[in-house]
Amino acid sequence: MNRQAPEEKEMAGLYLEEFVVGHVFQHTLRKTVTESDNMLFSVMTLNPQPLHIDFDFAARSEWGKPLVNSLFTLGLMIGISVNDITVGTTVANLGMKETVFPHPVFHGDTVRVETTVISVRESR
């Protein structure tokens, strides 16, 4: 049997000259966060914050249930964006000037991400 090598898949990421200021990426990947995601991330990063891992403690908080670790949320957001923006074309993350967490994320919430290009410049 004569098999041909599969065609090389083009990478989804963009090169510098392909970024357009003002463009908004509506990333199609989504993730519903589970209790296991939150617990494993908190344990792996040695974060003992009871708001993330102690259901009894969190039940007595203003939210009444555990909050998903915000660094997990940030990492998830970056991961979701990689396929559309940097996979195969860039060896570093794009810059972030400000990171805010305006609302908590809870077990069972689905995270969706959009990215807005606010400026384009070559690395210094």
Side-chain angles (χ1 to χ4, degrees), residues 29 31 33 41 45 68-83 93 96 99 101 111 113:
L29 291 177
K31 167 80 170 124
V33 179
F41 185 85
T45 57
V68 171
N69 187 309
S70 59
L71 289 181
F72 175 78
T73 303
L74 179 60
L76 181 58
M77 291 169 58
I78 291 169
I80 288 172
S81 74
V82 164
N83 194 57
N93 286 326
M96 294 179 283
T99 302
F101 301 95
V111 175
V113 178

Side-chain angles (χ1 to χ4, degrees), residues 59-116:
R60 292 180 271 123
S61 73
E62 64 183 284
W63 298 281
K65 56 188 174 182
L67 303 177
V68 171
N69 187 309
S70 59
L71 289 181
F72 175 78
T73 303
L74 179 60
L76 181 58
M77 291 169 58
I78 291 169
I80 288 172
S81 74
V82 164
N83 194 57
D84 296 325
I85 296 178
T86 62
V87 73
T89 59
T90 306
V91 295
N93 286 326
L94 301 177
M96 294 179 283
K97 291 187 181 227
E98 181 181 343
T99 302
V100 294
F101 301 95
H103 305 286
V105 175
F106 301 104
H107 304 156
D109 286 353
T110 299
V111 175
R112 69 168 186 78
V113 178
E114 69 179 40
T115 300
T116 303

Side-chain angles (χ1 to χ4, degrees), residues 12-62:
L14 300 177
Y15 292 99
L16 176 70
E17 58 275 3
E18 296 175 298
F19 285 94
V20 176
V21 174
H23 180 79
V24 178
F25 293 86
Q26 301 285 337
H27 303 292
T28 56
L29 291 177
R30 294 189 161 124
K31 167 80 170 124
T32 299
V33 179
T34 67
E35 175 186 340
S36 181
D37 293 330
N38 191 38
M39 293 296 266
L40 284 171
F41 185 85
S42 295
V43 170
M44 287 190 313
T45 57
L46 302 177
N47 184 338
Q49 172 53 260
L51 275 172
H52 303 313
I53 62 174
D54 183 332
F55 277 76
D56 181 60
F57 181 90
R60 292 180 271 123
S61 73
E62 64 183 284

